[in-house]
């Protein structure tokens, strides 16, 4: 409810300013309608409906809708068979570079977290390199302490949320580097927001990036926690 009170007026103001800006530039109404994307309209309708209905949709409905969006992204990529054969190599190279950046950024972020929270350095790094995979980071680090597990869970969940909210803005200037913000989520829950905005190569790169991060973390993170945290 509190989020609704914050987001609804903020979005109304932003939409109003955008329309006024376009009118000042003396653009005809049909061109204004083209610049205000359909995604913005449906986002506004969703906020409006949630605000006045004061209801939170079932988590199952959200999961099913995300699955539909992920399917649509995959379908749009797979349908271009000839293009796909040439693009896989390019997307793979990009995804490897982005995955390396994500992991390096996670280590650096962990160092900062350790200083701020006065944590053991290994705990900070383990929480940060989870790359938005909160369902893995939370339970793994809860063996250190419930508080650490909760912070790791909420911090990585917040990262996923920030990716969904901020990627459309960051993608205007740096669509490929902004993929790293989504971390492991770019293969599932974080993919639809990229698929809506980006071209097929961007979608394929994001999916491969999320897949690589997920595969790496499923091996590295449990081993890392076992060796550097539990054994110390």
């Amino acid at each position: 409810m509190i989020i609704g009170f914050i987001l609804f007026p903020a979005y109304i103001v932003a939409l109003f300013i955008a329309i006024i800006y376009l009118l000042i530039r003396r653009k005809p109404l049909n061109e204004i309608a083209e610049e205000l994307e359909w995604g913005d309209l449906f986002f506004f309708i969703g906020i409006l409906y949630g605000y006045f209905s004061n209801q939170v949709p079932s988590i199952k409905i959200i999961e099913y809708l995300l699955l539909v969006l992920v399917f649509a992204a995959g379908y749009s990529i797979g349908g271009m068979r000839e293009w796909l054969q040439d693009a896989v190599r390019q997307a793979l190279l990009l995804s490897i570079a982005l995955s390396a950046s994500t992991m390096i950024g996670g280590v650096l972020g962990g160092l900062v977290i350790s200083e701020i929270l006065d944590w053991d350095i290994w705990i900070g790094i383990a929480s940060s390199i989870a790359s938005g995979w909160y369902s893995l980071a939370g339970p793994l680090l809860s063996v250190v302490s419930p508080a650490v597990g909760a912070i790791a869970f909420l911090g990585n969940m917040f990262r996923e949320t920030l990716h969904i909210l901020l990627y459309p803005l960051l993608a205007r200037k740096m669509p490929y580097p902004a993929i790293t913000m989504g971390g492991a989520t770019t293969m599932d829950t974080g993919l639809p927001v990229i698929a809506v905005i980006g071209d097929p190569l961007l979608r394929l790169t994001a999916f491969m990036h999320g897949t690589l991060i997920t595969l790496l973390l499923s091996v590295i993170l449990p081993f890392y926690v076992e060796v550097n945290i539990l054994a110390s």
Side-chain angles (χ1 to χ4, degrees), residues 106-107 109-128 141 144-145 148 151 224-225 227-232:
V107 172
L111 295 175
V112 175
I113 290 174
S114 301
E115 286 293 324
I116 294 174
L117 300 179
D118 195 25
W119 277 2
D120 181 273
I121 188 172
W122 304 114
I123 296 175
I125 292 176
S127 176
S128 184
L141 292 178
V144 179
S145 78
V148 171
I151 293 173
Y224 180 87
V225 171
V227 171
N228 293 304
I229 298 176
L230 298 181
S232 59

Side-chain angles (χ1 to χ4, degrees), residues 12-209:
I12 292 294
V13 171
L15 188 64
F16 179 75
I17 291 174
I19 294 174
I20 293 298
Y21 172 71
L22 292 173
L23 287 174
I24 289 174
R25 290 168 60 188
R26 297 183 179 179
K27 288 201 169 189
L29 292 178
N30 63 325
E31 291 187 19
I32 292 177
E34 289 176 1
E35 293 203 23
L36 297 174
E37 298 180 358
W38 283 106
D40 293 334
L41 178 61
F42 278 97
F43 181 64
F44 166 72
I45 292 172
I47 292 178
L48 191 66
Y49 177 78
Y51 181 81
F52 287 107
S53 66
N54 193 25
Q55 294 179 353
V56 178
S58 167
I59 189 66
K60 284 295 180 185
I61 294 177
I62 296 175
E63 289 177 0
Y64 292 147
L65 289 174
L66 285 173
L67 288 175
V68 170
L69 287 172
V70 171
F71 170 81
Y75 179 78
S76 66
I77 293 172
M80 295 178 287
R81 188 180 304 173
E82 295 181 0
W83 170 87
L84 187 61
Q85 294 174 354
D86 296 328
V88 167
R89 177 186 172 89
Q90 185 178 358
L92 181 60
L93 293 174
L94 285 169
S95 63
I96 290 173
L98 292 173
S99 298
S101 300
T102 300
M103 299 302 289
I104 293 171
V107 172
L108 296 177
L111 295 175
V112 175
I113 290 174
S114 301
E115 286 293 324
I116 294 174
L117 300 179
D118 195 25
W119 277 2
D120 181 273
I121 188 172
W122 304 114
I123 296 175
I125 292 176
S127 176
S128 184
I129 64 172
S131 303
W133 194 354
Y134 53 86
S135 59
L136 177 67
L140 267 180
L141 292 178
S142 64
V143 300
V144 179
S145 78
V148 171
I151 293 173
F153 182 90
L154 293 174
N156 281 282
M157 179 182 285
F158 188 54
R159 175 173 178 166
E160 179 186 52
T161 304
L162 282 178
H163 165 72
I164 294 172
L165 291 175
L166 297 181
Y167 184 83
L169 298 176
L170 296 176
R172 296 175 182 176
K173 297 293 184 181
M174 45 180 184
Y176 285 91
I179 290 174
T180 59
M181 181 171 57
T185 70
T186 58
M187 69 169 287
D188 44 50
T189 55
L191 181 60
V193 69
I194 299 173
V196 169
I197 296 171
D199 56 31
L201 180 61
L202 184 68
R203 301 170 199 167
L204 186 58
T205 302
F207 178 77
M208 287 185 171
H209 165 265

